[in-house]
Amino acid sequence: MMIWLLLLGAIALLLFRAYRNTFDVQIKEVAIPLQKSRHLQQPHEFEPVSILHLSDLHMENLSVLPQSIVDDFSQRQVDLIAITGDLLDREKNIPKAVAFVQCLQQLQPALGIYVVFGNHDYVLSPFKLAQLKSELERVGCRVLINENETIDHKGQPLHIIGVDDFSTRHSNLAKSFYGVPETGARLVLTHDPNIVLHMKEYAYDYLLSGHFHGGQIHWPRPFHLATMGKLPKLNIVKGLHEMDGRPFYISEGLGQTGVNIRLRSRPEITLHVLGSDAPFNEMAAPALTLQETAATLALD
């Protein structure tokens, strides 16, 4: 009997700790130089742009208040806010998601707030998804669904390319990149990073994504990610990586899915400085080419 009580106590303590982890937000900073950009005639003259990146908000299981994000970054330069999908799972939380994003407008990002949808957003009916899009645009966001937009950043063009969710087969790369001018920095926003395996012919300077939650329950290993595409099989589930010489980033996300707990992972907010003179941050995993990736997967 005593053994069972001790076991139940240990499980309860572990679950409590896992729940508390959802409040323990890690704030990361990533520097991305553009010296090798094929789209900038004078890369060294590009004024750095600061991008506040949030992903996987999951309003149903979110322990972080938007005002706390505003407070943390109120004294920092934030030029653009990027939200890479999975705002919610249920239509009743549309007002909550919109209010969350609207609160972030207090940071007054000069280049605006850009949003792409993820697989959980597509749980909504088409009518409700259109409502979510409309409400986000009402509070000043730009929602990109396989489309792009060019904005002026201190006299230089910055192309924001929004690729819709790959895992639910809503992505369309040809449509997303259609009409993007040859000159100017290219920033891709998408939810599922597996799309990078199909982007060899689509040039970009940096890509932001989410989807994997860093495993969320990463103990002893996030075996459940094995069904979420090829990148997890290569242990590419979070952080900064390269594919074909181009950097992409996978956020661990801000909210949780399924249950509101995290083990060996934490909610993440990331500030990316695109065009920084600093070298790349240390890679979270070795850079891979498409050929190396295919060879590795063939061994599975």
Side-chain angles (χ1 to χ4, degrees), residues 95-140:
K96 184 178 179 181
V98 173
F100 187 102
V101 176
Q102 185 175 23
C103 183
L104 299 178
Q105 291 283 18
Q106 295 178 64
L107 291 172
Q108 299 181 324
L111 303 179
I113 299 178
Y114 283 80
V115 179
V116 293
F117 289 143
N119 57 304
H120 282 262
D121 301 312
Y122 277 102
V123 172
L124 299 179
S125 69
F127 175 78
K128 288 298 181 180
L129 188 67
Q131 179 185 340
L132 174 61
K133 180 177 184 291
S134 176
E135 287 295 299
L136 288 171
E137 291 175 340
R138 179 183 62 81
V139 297

Side-chain angles (χ1 to χ4, degrees), residues 105-220:
Q105 291 283 18
Q106 295 178 64
L107 291 172
Q108 299 181 324
L111 303 179
I113 299 178
Y114 283 80
V115 179
V116 293
F117 289 143
N119 57 304
H120 282 262
D121 301 312
Y122 277 102
V123 172
L124 299 179
S125 69
F127 175 78
K128 288 298 181 180
L129 188 67
Q131 179 185 340
L132 174 61
K133 180 177 184 291
S134 176
E135 287 295 299
L136 288 171
E137 291 175 340
R138 179 183 62 81
V139 297
C141 296
R142 182 74 171 93
V143 181
L144 298 178
I145 301 178
N146 290 323
E147 56 192 314
N148 62 80
E149 184 169 292
T150 297
I151 55 180
D152 179 83
H153 173 56
K154 299 182 179 179
Q156 300 173 85
L158 174 63
H159 310 302
I160 312 295
I161 303 163
V163 181
D164 211 3
D165 182 55
F166 176 75
S167 66
T168 53
R169 300 186 178 183
H170 286 92
S171 58
N172 186 323
L173 287 169
K175 186 177 179 182
S176 300
F177 279 80
Y178 181 78
V180 177
E182 285 298 319
T183 58
R186 296 184 173 192
L187 173 66
V188 176
L189 307 180
T190 195
H191 181 64
D192 183 354
N194 282 297
I195 192 75
V196 300
L197 298 169
H198 305 271
M199 295 183 69
K200 188 174 184 179
E201 304 302 321
Y202 295 90
Y204 61 87
D205 294 303
Y206 195 34
L207 181 147
L208 299 179
S209 64
H211 191 44
F212 299 138
H213 296 207
Q216 186 172 320
I217 302 175
H218 200 120
W219 186 82

